[in-house]
Short mmCIF file of all heavy atoms in Angstrom, two decimals:
data_model
loop_
_atom_site.label_atom_id
_atom_site.label_comp_id
_atom_site.label_asym_id
_atom_site.label_seq_id
_atom_site.Cartn_x
_atom_site.Cartn_y
_atom_site.Cartn_z
N VAL A 11 0.85 -1.19 0.00
CA VAL A 11 0.00 0.00 0.00
C VAL A 11 0.89 1.24 0.00
O VAL A 11 1.76 1.39 0.86
CB VAL A 11 -0.94 0.03 1.23
CG1 VAL A 11 -1.71 1.35 1.27
CG2 VAL A 11 -1.90 -1.15 1.19
N MET A 12 0.68 2.09 -0.99
CA MET A 12 1.40 3.36 -1.09
C MET A 12 0.42 4.47 -0.75
O MET A 12 -0.76 4.41 -1.10
CB MET A 12 1.94 3.55 -2.52
CG MET A 12 2.63 4.88 -2.76
SD MET A 12 3.16 5.08 -4.51
CE MET A 12 4.42 3.83 -4.62
N VAL A 13 0.89 5.50 -0.06
CA VAL A 13 0.03 6.62 0.32
C VAL A 13 0.70 7.93 -0.08
O VAL A 13 1.86 8.17 0.24
CB VAL A 13 -0.25 6.63 1.84
CG1 VAL A 13 -1.13 7.83 2.20
CG2 VAL A 13 -0.91 5.34 2.28
N THR A 14 -0.07 8.77 -0.78
CA THR A 14 0.38 10.14 -1.06
C THR A 14 0.10 10.97 0.17
O THR A 14 -1.06 11.21 0.52
CB THR A 14 -0.37 10.73 -2.26
OG1 THR A 14 -0.16 9.90 -3.41
CG2 THR A 14 0.12 12.13 -2.56
N VAL A 15 1.14 11.41 0.85
CA VAL A 15 0.93 12.13 2.11
C VAL A 15 0.62 13.60 1.83
O VAL A 15 1.13 14.19 0.88
CB VAL A 15 2.16 12.01 3.04
CG1 VAL A 15 2.31 10.59 3.53
CG2 VAL A 15 3.43 12.47 2.35
N PRO A 16 -0.23 14.21 2.66
CA PRO A 16 -0.57 15.63 2.49
C PRO A 16 0.53 16.51 3.04
O PRO A 16 1.47 16.06 3.71
CB PRO A 16 -1.85 15.76 3.30
CG PRO A 16 -1.69 14.75 4.39
CD PRO A 16 -0.95 13.59 3.77
N SER A 17 0.40 17.81 2.80
CA SER A 17 1.36 18.78 3.33
C SER A 17 1.47 18.69 4.85
O SER A 17 2.53 18.92 5.42
CB SER A 17 0.94 20.20 2.93
OG SER A 17 0.86 20.32 1.52
N GLU A 18 0.36 18.31 5.48
CA GLU A 18 0.32 18.22 6.94
C GLU A 18 1.34 17.23 7.49
O GLU A 18 1.78 17.35 8.64
CB GLU A 18 -1.09 17.80 7.35
CG GLU A 18 -1.30 17.71 8.85
CD GLU A 18 -2.64 17.08 9.19
OE1 GLU A 18 -3.44 16.84 8.28
OE2 GLU A 18 -2.86 16.81 10.40
N ALA A 19 1.76 16.25 6.66
CA ALA A 19 2.70 15.23 7.13
C ALA A 19 4.04 15.82 7.50
O ALA A 19 4.82 15.20 8.23
CB ALA A 19 2.88 14.16 6.05
N ALA A 20 4.33 17.04 7.02
CA ALA A 20 5.61 17.68 7.36
C ALA A 20 5.66 18.11 8.82
O ALA A 20 6.73 18.12 9.44
CB ALA A 20 5.85 18.88 6.46
N ASP A 21 4.50 18.46 9.39
CA ASP A 21 4.47 19.01 10.74
C ASP A 21 3.56 18.25 11.69
O ASP A 21 3.28 18.72 12.79
CB ASP A 21 4.05 20.49 10.67
CG ASP A 21 4.98 21.31 9.81
OD1 ASP A 21 6.20 21.30 10.08
OD2 ASP A 21 4.50 21.94 8.85
N ASN A 22 3.09 17.08 11.25
CA ASN A 22 2.23 16.27 12.10
C ASN A 22 2.78 14.85 12.16
O ASN A 22 2.34 13.96 11.42
CB ASN A 22 0.79 16.28 11.55
CG ASN A 22 -0.19 15.57 12.47
OD1 ASN A 22 0.22 14.88 13.42
ND2 ASN A 22 -1.47 15.71 12.21
N PRO A 23 3.75 14.60 13.02
CA PRO A 23 4.35 13.26 13.11
C PRO A 23 3.35 12.18 13.50
O PRO A 23 3.50 11.03 13.12
CB PRO A 23 5.44 13.42 14.17
CG PRO A 23 5.11 14.66 14.92
CD PRO A 23 4.39 15.55 13.96
N LEU A 24 2.29 12.57 14.22
CA LEU A 24 1.29 11.58 14.62
C LEU A 24 0.56 11.02 13.40
O LEU A 24 0.28 9.82 13.33
CB LEU A 24 0.28 12.20 15.59
CG LEU A 24 -0.85 11.26 16.07
CD1 LEU A 24 -0.29 10.04 16.78
CD2 LEU A 24 -1.83 12.02 16.96
N LEU A 25 0.26 11.88 12.42
CA LEU A 25 -0.40 11.42 11.20
C LEU A 25 0.46 10.38 10.49
O LEU A 25 -0.03 9.32 10.08
CB LEU A 25 -0.69 12.60 10.28
CG LEU A 25 -1.15 12.24 8.85
CD1 LEU A 25 -2.47 11.48 8.89
CD2 LEU A 25 -1.26 13.49 7.99
N VAL A 26 1.75 10.67 10.36
CA VAL A 26 2.65 9.74 9.67
C VAL A 26 2.74 8.43 10.45
O VAL A 26 2.72 7.33 9.87
CB VAL A 26 4.04 10.37 9.50
CG1 VAL A 26 5.00 9.39 8.84
CG2 VAL A 26 3.94 11.65 8.67
N ARG A 27 2.82 8.53 11.76
CA ARG A 27 2.90 7.32 12.59
C ARG A 27 1.65 6.47 12.43
O ARG A 27 1.73 5.24 12.33
CB ARG A 27 3.08 7.71 14.06
CG ARG A 27 3.37 6.53 14.99
CD ARG A 27 3.49 7.01 16.43
NE ARG A 27 4.00 5.96 17.30
CZ ARG A 27 3.28 4.97 17.80
NH1 ARG A 27 1.98 4.90 17.52
NH2 ARG A 27 3.83 4.07 18.58
N GLU A 28 0.48 7.12 12.39
CA GLU A 28 -0.77 6.39 12.23
C GLU A 28 -0.85 5.71 10.86
O GLU A 28 -1.40 4.61 10.74
CB GLU A 28 -1.96 7.33 12.42
CG GLU A 28 -2.23 7.67 13.88
CD GLU A 28 -2.61 6.43 14.66
OE1 GLU A 28 -3.72 5.90 14.46
OE2 GLU A 28 -1.77 5.97 15.46
N LEU A 29 -0.31 6.34 9.83
CA LEU A 29 -0.30 5.73 8.50
C LEU A 29 0.58 4.48 8.49
O LEU A 29 0.21 3.46 7.90
CB LEU A 29 0.19 6.74 7.46
CG LEU A 29 -0.79 7.86 7.10
CD1 LEU A 29 -0.10 8.91 6.24
CD2 LEU A 29 -2.01 7.30 6.38
N VAL A 30 1.72 4.56 9.13
CA VAL A 30 2.61 3.39 9.19
C VAL A 30 1.94 2.28 10.00
O VAL A 30 1.96 1.11 9.61
CB VAL A 30 3.97 3.78 9.80
CG1 VAL A 30 4.85 2.54 9.99
CG2 VAL A 30 4.68 4.79 8.91
N ARG A 31 1.33 2.65 11.10
CA ARG A 31 0.64 1.65 11.92
C ARG A 31 -0.49 0.98 11.13
O ARG A 31 -0.72 -0.23 11.24
CB ARG A 31 0.06 2.30 13.18
CG ARG A 31 -0.69 1.32 14.08
CD ARG A 31 -1.75 2.02 14.91
NE ARG A 31 -2.71 2.74 14.12
CZ ARG A 31 -3.69 2.17 13.41
NH1 ARG A 31 -3.82 0.86 13.40
NH2 ARG A 31 -4.54 2.91 12.73
N ALA A 32 -1.21 1.77 10.32
CA ALA A 32 -2.35 1.23 9.57
C ALA A 32 -1.91 0.31 8.44
O ALA A 32 -2.73 -0.47 7.95
CB ALA A 32 -3.19 2.37 9.03
N GLY A 33 -0.64 0.40 8.01
CA GLY A 33 -0.18 -0.51 6.98
C GLY A 33 0.45 0.14 5.76
O GLY A 33 0.64 -0.53 4.74
N MET A 34 0.80 1.42 5.82
CA MET A 34 1.47 2.06 4.69
C MET A 34 2.84 1.42 4.48
O MET A 34 3.65 1.35 5.39
CB MET A 34 1.62 3.57 4.95
CG MET A 34 2.38 4.32 3.85
SD MET A 34 2.41 6.11 4.10
CE MET A 34 3.52 6.23 5.53
N ASP A 35 3.09 0.94 3.25
CA ASP A 35 4.37 0.33 2.91
C ASP A 35 5.30 1.27 2.16
O ASP A 35 6.51 1.10 2.19
CB ASP A 35 4.15 -0.93 2.05
CG ASP A 35 3.27 -1.95 2.75
OD1 ASP A 35 3.72 -2.52 3.75
OD2 ASP A 35 2.13 -2.17 2.29
N VAL A 36 4.71 2.24 1.44
CA VAL A 36 5.49 3.21 0.68
C VAL A 36 4.86 4.58 0.88
O VAL A 36 3.64 4.74 0.69
CB VAL A 36 5.53 2.88 -0.83
CG1 VAL A 36 6.44 3.87 -1.57
CG2 VAL A 36 5.99 1.45 -1.07
N MET A 37 5.66 5.56 1.26
CA MET A 37 5.18 6.93 1.38
C MET A 37 5.54 7.70 0.11
O MET A 37 6.71 7.76 -0.27
CB MET A 37 5.81 7.63 2.60
CG MET A 37 5.29 9.05 2.80
SD MET A 37 5.90 9.83 4.34
CE MET A 37 7.55 10.33 3.82
N ARG A 38 4.53 8.25 -0.55
CA ARG A 38 4.75 9.02 -1.77
C ARG A 38 4.77 10.51 -1.46
O ARG A 38 3.81 11.05 -0.90
CB ARG A 38 3.67 8.74 -2.80
CG ARG A 38 3.75 9.62 -4.06
CD ARG A 38 2.69 9.25 -5.07
NE ARG A 38 2.68 10.16 -6.21
CZ ARG A 38 1.75 11.08 -6.44
NH1 ARG A 38 0.74 11.23 -5.59
NH2 ARG A 38 1.82 11.86 -7.50
N ILE A 39 5.86 11.15 -1.82
CA ILE A 39 5.99 12.60 -1.69
C ILE A 39 5.79 13.20 -3.07
O ILE A 39 6.56 12.92 -4.00
CB ILE A 39 7.36 12.99 -1.12
CG1 ILE A 39 7.53 12.45 0.30
CG2 ILE A 39 7.55 14.50 -1.15
CD1 ILE A 39 8.92 12.67 0.88
N ASN A 40 4.77 14.00 -3.22
CA ASN A 40 4.44 14.62 -4.51
C ASN A 40 5.17 15.95 -4.65
O ASN A 40 4.83 16.92 -3.97
CB ASN A 40 2.93 14.82 -4.61
CG ASN A 40 2.51 15.33 -5.99
OD1 ASN A 40 3.34 15.58 -6.86
ND2 ASN A 40 1.21 15.47 -6.18
N CYS A 41 6.15 15.99 -5.52
CA CYS A 41 6.97 17.20 -5.66
C CYS A 41 6.25 18.33 -6.38
O CYS A 41 6.82 19.41 -6.55
CB CYS A 41 8.28 16.88 -6.39
SG CYS A 41 9.39 15.85 -5.41
N ALA A 42 5.01 18.09 -6.80
CA ALA A 42 4.22 19.18 -7.37
C ALA A 42 3.71 20.11 -6.27
O ALA A 42 3.16 21.18 -6.57
CB ALA A 42 3.06 18.63 -8.18
N HIS A 43 3.86 19.69 -5.02
CA HIS A 43 3.40 20.49 -3.89
C HIS A 43 4.52 20.64 -2.86
O HIS A 43 5.44 19.83 -2.79
CB HIS A 43 2.19 19.84 -3.23
CG HIS A 43 1.04 19.61 -4.16
ND1 HIS A 43 0.23 20.62 -4.62
CD2 HIS A 43 0.57 18.47 -4.75
CE1 HIS A 43 -0.68 20.13 -5.43
NE2 HIS A 43 -0.50 18.83 -5.53
N ASP A 44 4.44 21.69 -2.07
CA ASP A 44 5.39 21.95 -0.97
C ASP A 44 6.81 22.19 -1.51
O ASP A 44 6.98 22.57 -2.68
CB ASP A 44 5.34 20.81 0.05
CG ASP A 44 3.93 20.56 0.55
OD1 ASP A 44 3.28 21.52 0.99
OD2 ASP A 44 3.47 19.41 0.48
N ASP A 45 7.81 21.99 -0.66
CA ASP A 45 9.19 22.29 -1.06
C ASP A 45 10.14 21.33 -0.34
O ASP A 45 9.72 20.55 0.52
CB ASP A 45 9.54 23.75 -0.70
CG ASP A 45 9.29 24.08 0.76
OD1 ASP A 45 9.52 23.19 1.62
OD2 ASP A 45 8.88 25.20 1.07
N PRO A 46 11.45 21.35 -0.70
CA PRO A 46 12.38 20.39 -0.09
C PRO A 46 12.41 20.42 1.43
O PRO A 46 12.58 19.38 2.07
CB PRO A 46 13.73 20.79 -0.70
CG PRO A 46 13.38 21.35 -2.04
CD PRO A 46 12.08 22.10 -1.81
N SER A 47 12.25 21.60 2.01
CA SER A 47 12.26 21.69 3.47
C SER A 47 11.11 20.88 4.07
O SER A 47 11.29 20.12 5.02
CB SER A 47 12.16 23.15 3.91
OG SER A 47 12.03 23.24 5.32
N ALA A 48 9.92 21.04 3.50
CA ALA A 48 8.76 20.28 3.99
C ALA A 48 8.93 18.79 3.72
O ALA A 48 8.59 17.95 4.56
CB ALA A 48 7.48 20.80 3.33
N TRP A 49 9.47 18.44 2.55
CA TRP A 49 9.66 17.02 2.22
C TRP A 49 10.63 16.36 3.21
O TRP A 49 10.42 15.22 3.62
CB TRP A 49 10.19 16.87 0.80
CG TRP A 49 9.33 17.52 -0.24
CD1 TRP A 49 7.98 17.75 -0.17
CD2 TRP A 49 9.75 18.06 -1.49
NE1 TRP A 49 7.53 18.38 -1.30
CE2 TRP A 49 8.60 18.59 -2.13
CE3 TRP A 49 10.98 18.16 -2.15
CZ2 TRP A 49 8.65 19.19 -3.39
CZ3 TRP A 49 11.03 18.75 -3.39
CH2 TRP A 49 9.88 19.26 -4.00
N MET A 50 11.67 17.09 3.58
CA MET A 50 12.64 16.55 4.54
C MET A 50 11.99 16.29 5.89
O MET A 50 12.28 15.29 6.56
CB MET A 50 13.83 17.49 4.68
CG MET A 50 14.82 17.42 3.55
SD MET A 50 15.61 15.78 3.47
CE MET A 50 16.84 16.08 2.19
N ARG A 51 11.08 17.17 6.30
CA ARG A 51 10.39 16.96 7.58
C ARG A 51 9.46 15.74 7.49
O ARG A 51 9.30 15.01 8.46
CB ARG A 51 9.61 18.22 7.98
CG ARG A 51 10.51 19.43 8.22
CD ARG A 51 9.82 20.50 9.05
NE ARG A 51 8.60 21.01 8.44
CZ ARG A 51 8.56 21.95 7.50
NH1 ARG A 51 9.68 22.49 7.03
NH2 ARG A 51 7.40 22.39 7.03
N MET A 52 8.86 15.53 6.32
CA MET A 52 8.05 14.32 6.12
C MET A 52 8.91 13.07 6.29
O MET A 52 8.51 12.10 6.93
CB MET A 52 7.43 14.33 4.73
CG MET A 52 6.41 15.42 4.48
SD MET A 52 5.84 15.42 2.75
CE MET A 52 4.84 16.92 2.71
N VAL A 53 10.11 13.11 5.68
CA VAL A 53 11.03 11.97 5.79
C VAL A 53 11.43 11.74 7.24
O VAL A 53 11.43 10.59 7.72
CB VAL A 53 12.28 12.21 4.92
CG1 VAL A 53 13.34 11.14 5.17
CG2 VAL A 53 11.91 12.24 3.44
N GLU A 54 11.75 12.80 7.95
CA GLU A 54 12.14 12.66 9.36
C GLU A 54 11.00 12.07 10.18
O GLU A 54 11.23 11.21 11.05
CB GLU A 54 12.54 14.04 9.91
CG GLU A 54 13.84 14.59 9.30
CD GLU A 54 14.05 16.04 9.66
OE1 GLU A 54 13.21 16.59 10.41
OE2 GLU A 54 15.05 16.63 9.18
N ASN A 55 9.77 12.52 9.92
CA ASN A 55 8.63 11.98 10.66
C ASN A 55 8.43 10.50 10.36
O ASN A 55 8.06 9.71 11.25
CB ASN A 55 7.37 12.76 10.32
CG ASN A 55 7.36 14.15 10.93
OD1 ASN A 55 8.05 14.41 11.92
ND2 ASN A 55 6.60 15.06 10.34
N LEU A 56 8.67 10.10 9.12
CA LEU A 56 8.53 8.69 8.76
C LEU A 56 9.59 7.85 9.46
O LEU A 56 9.28 6.79 10.02
CB LEU A 56 8.63 8.51 7.25
CG LEU A 56 8.57 7.06 6.78
CD1 LEU A 56 7.19 6.46 7.04
CD2 LEU A 56 8.94 6.92 5.32
N ARG A 57 10.84 8.30 9.41
CA ARG A 57 11.92 7.51 10.03
C ARG A 57 11.69 7.36 11.53
O ARG A 57 11.97 6.32 12.12
CB ARG A 57 13.27 8.17 9.74
CG ARG A 57 13.64 8.25 8.26
CD ARG A 57 13.49 6.92 7.55
NE ARG A 57 13.93 6.98 6.16
CZ ARG A 57 13.49 6.16 5.22
NH1 ARG A 57 12.61 5.21 5.50
NH2 ARG A 57 13.92 6.28 3.97
#
């Protein structure tokens, strides 16, 4: 299961944690939205 995460995933670690708990196997970062700084925070929340 792949999930396109919203912009909120950059600043809401609980959302990312809940997605992983629910069964997300791949997190998709859509580069058509947000910026590298936000994407990096999404990555940090996932790790």
Side-chain angles (χ1 to χ4, degrees):
V11 174
M12 177 184 293
V13 179
T14 302
V15 292
S17 301
E18 182 189 353
D21 301 305
N22 186 348
L24 179 60
L25 169 62
V26 178
R27 188 182 190 280
E28 284 297 289
L29 287 171
V30 175
R31 179 207 57 75
M34 177 175 70
D35 302 292
V36 184
M37 182 174 80
R38 174 177 175 253
I39 296 174
N40 186 357
C41 291
H43 303 286
D44 306 308
D45 55 36
S47 174
W49 304 333
M50 282 296 186
R51 297 200 301 278
M52 294 175 187
V53 172
E54 292 169 2
N55 288 337
L56 177 67
R57 298 310 184 205

